[in-house]
Amino acid sequence: AVALASPALAKASVQSAEKTCKAEISKQQPESKSVKVDKDSTRATNASFSYLFKVKNADDTTTKLTCTFDRSTETVIGLTPAN
């Protein structure tokens, strides 16, 4: 017998969600030199994780992005510029 977890029980870890967000940023901004998470700004709820990333661009400028990760679907649901 194969046991499958229901989607409601499938909860991604903070680390796996962070890696997924980082991969999504790298995919959308392939020219970026580095993508680093601000661990102190990480927020979690039962439904999602929210991360603040500092992205170093090809021209050496830095951009801040907020990534929101849906824990039940295990997907990035938002990638927006941060203030």
Side-chain angles (χ1 to χ4, degrees):
V2 176
L4 300 175
S6 72
L9 298 177
K11 298 277 187 173
S13 70
V14 172
Q15 293 83 6
S16 67
E18 178 184 321
K19 286 179 186 176
T20 303
C21 278
K22 194 178 232 183
E24 184 64 24
I25 293 169
S26 295
K27 186 170 78 175
Q28 289 189 20
Q29 299 186 6
E31 72 287 350
S32 59
K33 289 183 176 181
S34 69
V35 179
K36 296 182 180 176
V37 69
D38 180 347
K39 301 256 186 215
D40 292 335
S41 296
T42 300
R43 301 288 177 256
T45 66
N46 283 335
S48 67
F49 290 118
S50 180
Y51 301 90
L52 177 64
F53 282 91
K54 294 177 184 174
V55 181
K56 189 170 185 178
N57 303 306
D59 62 0
D60 289 330
T61 59
T62 302
T63 305
K64 290 183 180 181
L65 295 173
T66 300
C67 179
T68 306
F69 181 89
D70 185 305
R71 295 179 75 185
S72 62
T73 62
E74 298 190 9
T75 58
V76 173
I77 56 171
L79 196 56
T80 56
N83 295 333

